[in-house]
Amino acid sequence: MATRTIAGKTVQVNDEGFMTNPAEWNKEIAVAIAGEEGLPELTAAHWKVIDYCRESSAKLAGKSPTLRQITTGTGVSTKDLFALFPKGPAKKVARIAGLGKPEGCV
């Protein structure tokens, strides 16, 4: 398993750059990954989605929620999710939230 240093902390990642141990995640790591993903600032709306995904993942045996699960669980529309996390919001938010790639994402 590969490791990578993000926000001064060494974490385990897979070959696609997704963290493999959600327990290693913290908000500083989220901010650093968001910057890499082209999001210079995480607003309260971003954190609502990130926090939901982390809570949902814990209930889904560690699996990342799908786009549909995110929109249903947060009440954030698909259009708004794409505005918050452009170009593949489920995959992008999973990466920022320190979770694995959602099933069905290419």
Side-chain angles (χ1 to χ4, degrees), residues 2-99:
T3 60
R4 178 172 170 228
T5 302
I6 307 170
K9 184 174 179 182
T10 301
V11 297
Q12 297 175 38
V13 295
N14 66 14
D15 57 347
E16 294 181 274
F18 287 86
M19 290 179 63
T20 57
N21 183 355
E24 296 177 337
W25 179 90
N26 62 39
K27 289 193 174 197
E28 291 78 24
I29 288 173
V31 170
I33 294 172
E36 292 172 3
E37 292 287 339
L39 302 173
E41 178 185 6
L42 293 176
T43 65
H46 288 101
W47 285 112
K48 176 182 179 179
V49 175
I50 293 165
D51 291 339
Y52 170 80
C53 289
R54 289 196 52 85
E55 291 167 14
S56 178
S57 174
K59 295 173 189 170
L60 295 170
K63 293 182 181 179
S64 296
T66 64
L67 184 65
R68 184 172 303 231
Q69 289 168 326
I70 295 169
T71 58
T72 302
T74 62
V76 177
S77 72
T78 302
K79 179 181 175 183
D80 289 341
L81 268 180
F82 272 90
L84 289 168
F85 302 96
K87 300 179 183 173
K91 189 173 176 180
K92 194 168 285 194
V93 74
R95 227 179 132 239
I96 293 168
L99 305 171

